[in-house]
Amino acid sequence: MSRHKRNGELKKEVLKLKNQQEDFNLLAQQLLTEGLSPKEFDDSSFFNMMASLNARKKEDRAELVDPLEAINQTYGL
């Protein structure tokens, strides 16, 4: 496997993990706004709580999209 292809696959995995973390934070945000207490939120730390409250929806995460994949989807390449 070429170095360029390996780097591309690693970048996709990093983006996937970042999106999974954002999904988790968004879920936590929704639970907290629906009445889940911080204690019920697994005794979360302040920083985890802030990350959850600042979670973004998928459509608001432009920097977490693979640009090459977006171009391919847009132009059918």
Side-chain angles (χ1 to χ4, degrees):
M1 181 181 298
S2 73
R3 184 177 186 185
H4 179 70
K5 189 172 183 178
R6 243 188 343 252
N7 285 342
E9 289 178 7
L10 286 173
K11 186 175 183 178
K12 282 184 181 182
E13 284 301 311
V14 168
L15 290 172
K16 182 179 172 183
L17 290 171
K18 285 181 178 182
N19 271 307
Q20 287 174 345
Q21 183 65 47
E22 286 277 349
D23 288 341
F24 175 78
N25 288 338
L26 184 59
L27 174 61
Q29 178 188 57
Q30 291 167 344
L31 291 171
L32 290 166
T33 57
E34 293 295 321
L36 186 71
S37 74
K39 179 78 172 158
E40 294 171 313
F41 187 61
D42 197 26
D43 294 324
S44 293
S45 73
F46 172 77
F47 297 105
N48 288 340
M49 184 71 65
M50 292 308 296
S52 297
L53 292 173
N54 290 316
R56 299 170 290 161
K57 295 178 181 176
K58 283 189 178 190
E59 58 269 15
D60 297 333
R61 302 182 212 161
E63 77 278 7
L64 299 180
V65 174
D66 181 8
L68 183 57
E69 187 175 318
I71 290 170
N72 288 341
Q73 288 178 355
T74 301
Y75 296 105
L77 302 175

